[in-house]
Structure formats: C-alpha cells, structure tokens
Amino acid sequence: MTQAEIKLCSLLLKEHFGEIVEKIGVHLIRTGSQPLRVIAHDTGTSLDQVKKALCVLIQHNLVIYQVHKRGVVEYEAQCSRVLRMLRYPRYIYTTKTLYSDTGELIVEELLLNGKMTMSAVVKKVADRLTETMEDGKTMDYAEVSNTFVRLADTHFVQRCPLVPTIENSDLGPPPPAPTLVVNEKDMYLVPKLSLIGKGKRRRSSDEDAAGEPRAKRPKHTTDNKEPIPDDGIYWQANLERFHQHFRDQAIVSAVANRMDQTSSEIVRTMLRMSEITTPSSAPFTQPLSSNEIFRSLPVGYNISKQVLDQYLTLLADDPLEFVGKSGDSGGGMYVINLHKALASLATATLESVVQERFGSRCARIFRLVLQKKHLEQKQVEDFAMIPAKEAKDMLYKMLSENFISLQEIPKTPDHAPSRTFYLYTVNVLSAARMLLHRCYKSIANLIERRQFETKENKRLLEKSQRVEAIIASMQATGAEEAQLQEIEEMITAPERQQLETLKRNVNKLDASEIQVDETIFLLESYIESTMKRQ
Amino acid sequence: MAGNKGRGRAAYTFNIEAVGFSRGEKLPDVVLKPPPLFPDTDYKPVPPKTGEGEDYMLALKQELRETMKRMLYFIETPEEKQDIERYSKRYMKVYKEEWKADWRRLPREMMPRKKSKKADPKSKKAKDTDKGTLLANTADVLKKIEELEKRGNGEKSDEENEEKEGSKEKSKEGDDDDNDNEDAAEEEYAKEEQEEENGYINSYFEDGDDFGAESDDNMDEATY
C-alpha cells in the first residue's frame, strides 16, 4: 500500500472510529497479517484495547482473520475496504433514488453497523421512519421487510459468510477461530420471518402519562428475552453491486452526452438486461439480439423497430466503440464493450485533467500523442501546429508530471544519445495509476484542511452550539421575543460572519471530497478491469 | 571510441537539436533550490459540481460524520490521569454502553478475560489450563468444576452455582468442551454483570489500565 493510501486510511479511521482503532488499523495495513500479541507489542497498546479495536474492525468488514498452523490466528486489514468509507454517502443516495427513504435507511444502517440481522435492521429502520412521520402514524414492519426483500433480490444487500454449525463432539477442542463459510447459493436468500409490529416512537419526557413508568423499563433497551428467529444470519451491503450500478450510470451518461437521450435509453436497457447474466468483471456483456432489446425497451418509448435498428447501427459504428456488433442473427446481436467503455472514460478523465492543469494547447498535444501512439519531437510540432519553443516547453511540463513518457529506440547497439530516437508516448495505465495516487493525496489534504478549519474555530463553534441549545430550551418553555433576541445577540455580528465563512469552507471541502471520490471510482474501475484482462 | 572531440572542452554527448535548443543559444538557468511549496497556478481549478444530488450527499456526509462519533463503535481515547481530579468530571462523564459483539463469529482469543475482583487465583489457573490443554474427557472437567465449587468463594451468588450445575448437566449430556469453555466465559460475564450491583466502586480498577496490567496471565496476586 502506498504512503498516500495509508495516510488516507489513517484519517478515515480516526474520524469514524477514534484513535485507538486507527492506531491498530494503520499498523495492520502497514505490516500485513499479524497475530494478536504481536500487534499489542508493536503498537504498545494494552491487550484489552487491541481486542476491542479488532472487534470493531472485524464487525465492519475492515479486518479479516485466518487460522494458521499451530492454532495461531492472524489478522489482516483490507486497505481498499477502508477507502470505501469515502463513498458511503454515494451508496446511500443511490439507494434513495432507487428505493426511496425506506431503502435508504436500510442501507445506511447496514453501512454504519457493518453487519446486522434482518430483524434488527427492520426494527431500527421502522423506528427511525416513525420518528419522522406525523404524530399518530407509525411505520409497519411489513413494508420495511418488503423493501429489504427487494434489495436482496436485486443483490444490493447480501448475506455475510456463515459460521458453520458444529455437529458432533468428536472434533476435539473447537478451533481457535471459526472458519466462515461462504454459501454462494444462499447469498441473497431472505429467511422466512414473520415480522409483525410497528415502529416505536421514542417517547419524550412529557408524554410519560400513557407509557410505562420509568422504573419498570428494563435495564437493557433491547428485549433479548425472546429468541431472535434469524439469529446468526447477518447481512451486509454488497458494494460490488453498487459499483456495477455506478459504472452503468457512467456509461449511460457518457452516451447521452455524446449522442442523444434515446441512444442512452437504449444502452441503459441493454445494461439492465445484462445485469444478472453478466458478471461484473466481464470485458463485455452477453450478446443481445435487436428483437430482445426492442421488447425490453421501457414503456413509453415508442420508437419503431427500424429506428431502433438505426440507432444500434449508429452506436456500433461510433469510434468510441461502446457498443459492438457480434453477429447478425435475431436482427443483429449487440454487445456492450465494458472494458473499452471504462478505458474511454479513464482516458477522458486524463485529458480533462491535462486541460485544466496546463491549458487547451497542452491538451491538444496530449490528445495528439494519444491518438498517434508514438511521436518524435519534430512530428509533434508539425501535427499540432504549435511553434517549436512552446511545444517543447509543454511537452517537458507534461513529461515532468508523468502524463507523457519517453520511449527510446536506439539506432546503434551502443545506445549513443546522438543516434537514438526519442519518442513521446502516453501509457494510459501508468498515467491512470499516477492520477489515482494524486487523488488519494488530494483527499487526504482536503480532510486535513477541513479538520484544521474546524479546530481553529472550535471555541466559536461550541459557543454557537450552546447559544442554540439555550434558545431551543427557552422556546420550549415559552419565552418572550425580547429575551430570545437578547440571547441571540450573544453572538456578535463579526462572529456570525466568521461562522458563515467557516460553514461555507467546510461545505466546499466536503463537496470536493465527494467529487474526487467519483474520479477515484472511475480510475480504480479502469485499472481493475485492465488487470483482470492480463 | 566515439569521437573524442571534447578534451577539456564542453561538448554534448547527444544531438542538441533533437532536444530543441539550437547551438550557441542561451540555455535556461540551473535550478538551485526546490520548487516553491505553493506555486502559482496559471489555471484555477473548476468549481465543484452543484445540484440536488450533490447537496443531498453533502448533507448526508456531514450527518454521517456526527452519527459515527456517537455510535458505540467509536472508542474514546482514555484520558490521562490528571494530577487534581476535578469534582465535576465525575458527573460530566457520558456513559456509553459497551457494544456486545457476536462472539460466535470471532476468534476465541477476542473475548475479554475479566480479572476476578475476589481472590480466585486457583480457579483462574484452572480455567487457563482448561482452554489450553486437550481435555477430551468431560469427566475430568466435571471433577475440576466440583473442586472449584468446594473451594470457591462464599460470596458467589446462587445463580452462579446454578449456572455451574447447568453446565455440569449439559456436559453430562455429552456436549463438547466448547460448551464448558463457553460457560466459563459466560460465567465471567455473569460475574461482571452481577458485580455491578454490589457495593464496590466499579471505576476503582479499570480494565487493565494502570494497576498491574503487565500481563493477563500471571494473576497470582489477589487484588483487594
């Protein structure tokens, strides 16, 4: 793992789980697989705290354990999974667009808790939804269950690996750690539960009259008297499925930008049809016949068969090669070239970065070298129609930032520089890796800057929170306008200004983080797809 | 070999024209110091995207940040002991419940081993050997449990004894050692929960923080 990734993981872990978990997590990421005692010794933390931290990390699927010989259990951290924590808002928002508020809360609970049983999720989500509803209305468990089942059917949530049931006692002493079994068949199988109930509203202290008296409320808030029917079956959010969805979204919007709405709808239909049949890492989807596509077009899109055929031909002929024609049966068999699409998206990202950093003339040179693969200095000047001095300057700038690389072709065996060709070329894979690394660094910088800004104004923030609390409590007990005015004036105008600036800056930094994460997703998908093909 | 033209005279080993400079031209200055930390950029960055989705995600992100800090998974760093313990600190402490993991899914060494507050060194040793050695015979375990009961603390409540008997019965049915160990662990948990209700100050000895926390294994000294 690169230093930039480790730094970013450290910041994320500290923000979400605290310093102790961060120390253990970063140590594991740095050193790889280690047993418990070695971790405690190397980090200098007490065994108890290491255990707590590891429990939290395992619960959130950030650390896995393996039993090695002689019964030693070793723990390994998943650095890439830690980096996914940046994308949580995107996952939750996507679920909201697909399955509305209920789905959104289900996925949010699963992401925040790592893994949960279905009954626990349903109960919690129902309670949360009931809070937001008007007085008197409650959320039924059945509705939440339905949404959960739909999420499982479309593979957005999946079962966690199970603990195997130990049948007989001949096995001798139990293993030091359970080996979790992944059951492919049952991964999306929802257990038969009859969850009857309604969401409970959290009673405020005023409404005690109807509720149970305080004293009788049990010490533990959860009723663990009755056995949970789906005990041991835990669910987690299926991040791969979300990534597949984001990739499809990116392809569809790229087609929409390049051509028009109708073609993007056609591509979306094709992708939807291949969702379940094609594994997400395949280079292209299964071939679909034009007739099938015509039948599966969304209702309301009444384009005739010929128009559809024309669109498909146009898409297949496009130089970007998102769609390819693989045969002629059934009216024409078409596939979507997933790998090529990802490569085009990654290349477009690189071009855009060059343009924003160095200017449009540099971008012209960059696109030229991309297109022609290898060019000499002189040829670059000629093809790009840019004067020699400037062209040289731009090429060197891009070379120093590693967007462009040099390829040496010697004329003589002694590689004399005066008798060697130096060709400029763009290696997309390595440029993408370089850019990804920079993205990690940028997000780390953004997070640090945001934390710095918050820390600088900590005193002011606390003061404003206190004032708000006072105002809220005074309003609840009914205060006059004049008194409220007086309290509000405790924060002076320049302080208010400062707060405004702080809020604006923090929002901007947060928004930038989210956007850089989108670029990270594209680049990572491209690199992963390329590595799989090799 | 390759044309010694340059005795004592500066000559380039490569064709200077290929790099783009013409002969005799003034070459750019040599760089004497590292580039500035925040160089001026000619092109300012593009403003971030705005839109309904982005606004929602932004609000969500900030909300999630706050929520995570309040969750049970967020482990606070223990504060260092201050010289003068402030009176108000005792009452301002926010008590977070301990989050209970599902122990069936975790390696056995994860379970926190409670130091017994009463003098129980021998039973602790017995439990340690239980976990370590291969006790294929449940009868041995039963004998040990009986010994412990006889030796055990007078202050152990009835429920504890019932649990031991319960565990004895279960072992008699021929379950594997797993149950014994699970019960041993449960006992320790039960002890922990019951001790909350007696008169001892819980915070007097925190878990392995300062007092004799070098190793969990050598519990020879009884703690009072």
Side-chain angles (χ1 to χ4, degrees):
Chain A
M1 307 279 61
T2 62
Q3 284 299 328
E5 286 175 17
I6 298 179
K7 176 106 206 305
L8 185 53
C9 288
S10 147
L11 285 168
L12 286 172
L13 284 175
K14 203 190 304 199
E15 209 169 36
H16 290 174
F17 298 118
E19 280 191 16
I20 302 178
V21 177
E22 181 252 334
K23 194 160 31 159
I24 310 293
V26 168
H27 175 79
L28 274 176
I29 294 176
R30 273 215 173 97
T31 52
S33 189
Q34 290 209 318
L36 183 63
R37 300 236 167 233
V38 180
I39 301 174
H41 177 262
D42 284 347
T43 53
T45 35
S46 74
L47 206 59
D48 196 44
Q49 288 187 333
V50 176
K51 285 183 193 172
K52 276 196 217 163
L54 281 174
C55 285
V56 169
L57 286 168
I58 293 177
Q59 169 76 11
H60 282 83
N61 308 315
L62 301 171
V63 159
I64 55 171
Y65 58 81
Q66 259 186 323
V67 184
H68 284 255
K69 57 184 189 326
R70 278 198 268 122
V72 172
V73 182
E74 287 199 346
Y75 302 92
E76 194 177 330
Q78 319 269 57
C79 180
S80 50
R81 179 64 179 81
V82 179
L83 295 171
R84 293 299 146 262
M85 290 209 286
L86 278 169
R87 218 166 279 165
Y88 283 4
R90 197 170 173 196
Y91 297 138
I92 300 173
Y93 177 65
T94 308
T95 326
K96 186 189 169 78
T97 54
L98 294 173
Y99 294 101
S100 86
D101 290 342
T102 323
E104 174 198 2
L105 287 182
I106 291 178
V107 169
E108 188 179 325
E109 284 300 319
L110 281 176
L111 284 172
L112 282 179
N113 287 294
K115 21 171 123 66
M116 285 173 93
T117 57
M118 178 173 168
S119 32
V121 173
V122 168
K123 186 165 178 305
K124 228 178 190 178
V125 170
D127 288 344
R128 275 181 77 173
L129 282 169
T130 313
E131 295 274 328
T132 58
M133 289 168 117
E134 304 118 32
D135 286 330
K137 287 183 139 178
T138 52
M139 187 62 160
D140 204 18
Y141 281 8
E143 205 179 311
V144 183
S145 295
N146 280 342
T147 319
F148 193 96
V149 170
R150 280 166 65 201
L151 278 168
D153 283 339
T154 42
H155 296 203
F156 278 107
V157 300
Q158 68 186 34
R159 278 210 211 180
C160 300
L162 293 168
V163 180
T165 44
I166 306 177
E167 297 293 339
N168 44 11
S169 51
D170 301 348
L171 278 152
T179 7
L180 299 173
V181 171
V182 177
N183 192 343
E184 285 288 336
K185 250 188 322 109
D186 291 341
M187 197 121 77
Y188 305 103
L189 193 65
V190 180
K192 294 267 178 294
L193 296 174
S194 55
L195 288 167
I196 317 262
K198 297 193 182 302
K200 292 201 194 12
R201 206 183 285 272
R202 202 177 34 224
R203 288 206 173 82
S204 60
S205 46
D206 307 285
E207 298 176 53
D208 239 344
E212 313 117 34
R214 285 273 167 121
K216 268 217 196 130
R217 215 175 283 169
K219 216 178 210 177
H220 308 279
T221 43
T222 53
D223 315 323
N224 37 21
K225 301 297 173 194
E226 66 244 17
I228 313 170
D230 63 342
D231 191 31
I233 303 179
Y234 288 93
W235 293 81
Q236 61 185 1
N238 183 6
L239 300 188
E240 280 306 314
R241 177 72 181 88
F242 277 105
H243 293 169
Q244 193 184 358
H245 186 260
F246 294 156
R247 183 201 64 196
D248 294 347
Q249 258 182 337
I251 296 179
V252 166
S253 71
V255 172
N257 280 339
R258 189 169 171 82
M259 301 179 84
D260 70 340
Q261 183 69 10
T262 320
S263 19
S264 74
E265 277 306 316
I266 297 175
V267 172
R268 195 202 300 271
T269 314
M270 288 173 78
L271 283 166
R272 201 169 8 101
M273 287 161 70
S274 358
E275 246 168 29
I276 311 289
T277 55
T278 316
S280 65
S281 52
F284 39 78
T285 61
Q286 300 290 339
L288 298 165
S289 73
S290 155
N291 298 332
E292 278 174 19
I293 300 173
F294 184 64
R295 276 198 300 268
S296 318
L297 276 177
V299 181
Y301 255 97
N302 36 5
I303 52 174
S304 69
K305 186 85 175 37
Q306 286 132 320
V307 175
L308 171 71
D309 282 334
Q310 281 176 340
Y311 266 115
L312 283 170
T313 325
L314 258 175
L315 280 167
D317 286 338
D318 190 78
L320 273 185
E321 291 187 27
F322 279 16
V323 176
K325 190 163 181 180
S326 72
D328 285 315
S329 58
M333 302 293 275
Y334 294 93
V335 291
I336 299 196
N337 291 319
L338 295 169
H339 175 71
K340 283 221 177 82
L342 283 172
S344 318
L345 288 168
T347 318
T349 313
L350 282 170
E351 285 173 17
S352 152
V353 168
V354 169
Q355 180 162 357
E356 291 305 324
R357 240 178 212 273
F358 305 115
S360 48
R361 300 176 103 185
C362 255
R364 193 153 99 220
I365 295 181
F366 186 77
R367 278 195 292 268
L368 181 69
V369 180
L370 252 176
Q371 194 186 6
K372 303 268 186 186
K373 308 281 189 244
H374 295 273
L375 282 177
E376 262 190 335
Q377 165 97 37
K378 194 87 181 41
Q379 289 173 309
V380 168
E381 293 161 21
D382 290 338
F383 282 130
M385 296 184 283
I386 292 179
K389 256 210 182 79
E390 289 172 31
K392 167 193 67 173
D393 195 35
M394 290 177 190
L395 275 172
Y396 283 159
K397 235 192 305 188
M398 285 195 283
L399 187 64
S400 67
E401 305 255 351
N402 289 322
F403 283 102
I404 285 189
S405 48
L406 268 180
Q407 169 75 27
E408 297 174 3
I409 302 185
K411 290 191 230 181
T412 55
D414 63 352
H415 286 249
S418 56
R419 288 188 289 273
T420 315
F421 285 120
Y422 291 98
L423 298 176
Y424 292 101
T425 180
V426 175
N427 182 347
V428 182
L429 185 60
S430 72
R433 280 218 169 97
M434 183 272 303
L435 193 59
L436 184 62
H437 187 247
R438 270 170 111 154
C439 286
Y440 289 140
K441 275 198 205 163
S442 331
I443 295 202
N445 287 346
L446 286 167
I447 295 181
E448 285 226 33
R449 179 72 201 195
R450 172 169 50 80
Q451 286 177 346
F452 171 77
E453 293 270 325
T454 322
K455 202 157 70 138
E456 281 271 292
N457 298 295
K458 200 165 86 143
R459 193 195 67 86
L460 190 56
L461 272 172
E462 281 175 5
K463 180 176 174 189
S464 83
Q465 274 171 0
R466 266 204 311 262
V467 165
E468 273 174 29
I470 295 175
I471 292 184
S473 67
M474 286 185 74
Q475 270 177 345
T477 58
E480 298 164 4
E481 192 57 43
Q483 283 178 312
L484 289 173
Q485 197 82 351
E486 211 181 295
I487 302 285
E488 272 186 23
E489 274 166 22
M490 270 170 63
I491 303 184
T492 63
E495 281 181 343
R496 227 177 267 281
Q497 189 79 2
Q498 212 177 333
L499 275 173
E500 271 300 311
T501 323
L502 171 69
K503 187 163 170 174
R504 209 182 33 238
N505 288 345
V506 168
N507 282 352
K508 213 188 267 192
L509 291 165
D510 268 330
S512 312
E513 274 176 51
I514 296 178
Q515 212 170 320
V516 177
D517 181 61
E518 284 180 25
T519 313
I520 287 184
F521 169 71
L522 270 178
L523 293 170
E524 272 180 357
S525 307
Y526 165 64
I527 293 174
E528 201 183 306
S529 167
T530 317
M531 296 316 291
K532 286 225 169 75
R533 298 190 76 198
Q534 287 180 355
Chain B
M1 274 262 274
N4 303 25
K5 258 203 283 196
R7 276 176 180 261
R9 218 173 35 125
Y12 301 117
T13 54
F14 55 95
N15 183 9
I16 193 76
E17 311 239 307
V19 189
F21 294 107
S22 54
R23 281 202 87 90
E25 196 186 297
K26 183 166 164 307
L27 295 168
D29 290 329
V30 181
V31 176
L32 289 167
K33 55 186 181 183
L37 196 53
F38 295 109
D40 290 325
T41 47
D42 297 323
Y43 302 95
K44 297 298 169 199
V46 187
K49 281 196 279 197
T50 49
E52 190 196 314
E54 278 77 23
D55 289 338
Y56 191 82
M57 279 200 272
L58 178 65
L60 197 51
K61 186 173 207 283
Q62 292 175 335
E63 213 182 283
L64 279 177
R65 222 185 358 248
E66 291 307 309
T67 316
M68 291 227 188
K69 288 207 165 66
R70 279 183 271 126
M71 295 205 91
L72 298 178
Y73 306 112
F74 195 96
I75 303 182
E76 309 274 353
T77 33
E79 274 175 30
E80 284 139 30
K81 283 268 191 264
Q82 289 175 333
D83 304 324
I84 310 167
E85 191 153 328
R86 313 263 162 205
Y87 182 78
S88 57
K89 271 222 149 75
R90 260 167 73 186
Y91 293 96
M92 289 209 299
K93 262 201 276 201
V94 180
Y95 284 103
K96 254 192 188 167
E97 287 179 9
E98 270 278 328
W99 161 67
K100 299 260 186 284
D102 185 358
W103 301 114
R104 295 168 297 181
R105 292 183 71 91
L106 295 168
R108 280 189 308 162
E109 57 187 7
M110 279 301 178
M111 288 200 268
R113 294 205 283 202
K114 286 289 160 203
K115 291 200 285 248
S116 53
K117 298 214 165 106
K118 287 106 184 177
D120 218 357
K122 291 200 182 130
S123 76
K124 200 65 174 148
K125 271 211 195 119
K127 281 186 188 133
D128 281 352
T129 49
D130 254 2
K131 288 192 172 118
T133 59
L134 294 171
L135 278 178
N137 203 349
T138 48
D140 278 358
V141 182
L142 290 176
K143 271 195 225 148
K144 274 215 160 75
I145 292 183
E146 278 176 302
E147 279 175 70
L148 289 174
E149 274 191 353
K150 287 184 198 141
R151 208 189 294 138
N153 317 318
E155 299 196 55
K156 275 216 182 118
S157 47
D158 285 344
E159 287 154 66
E160 286 243 45
N161 285 332
E162 273 174 17
E163 260 194 24
K164 278 212 176 105
E165 307 222 335
S167 78
K168 244 203 291 184
E169 279 166 9
K170 270 200 226 166
S171 340
K172 279 190 183 133
E173 284 162 16
D175 282 2
D176 40 343
D177 294 344
D178 196 18
N179 264 339
D180 285 343
N181 286 331
E182 292 267 294
D183 284 341
E186 271 180 73
E187 258 180 47
E188 291 169 341
Y189 266 109
K191 256 197 262 178
E192 175 205 352
E193 284 175 25
Q194 276 137 33
E195 276 163 358
E196 303 238 334
E197 286 159 44
N198 56 25
Y200 292 101
I201 306 172
N202 255 347
S203 58
Y204 202 70
F205 292 112
E206 292 292 339
D207 293 328
D209 264 359
D210 321 273
F211 186 81
E214 291 86 54
S215 73
D216 283 340
D217 289 331
N218 298 336
M219 280 307 299
D220 288 320
E221 299 99 68
T223 65
Y224 295 102

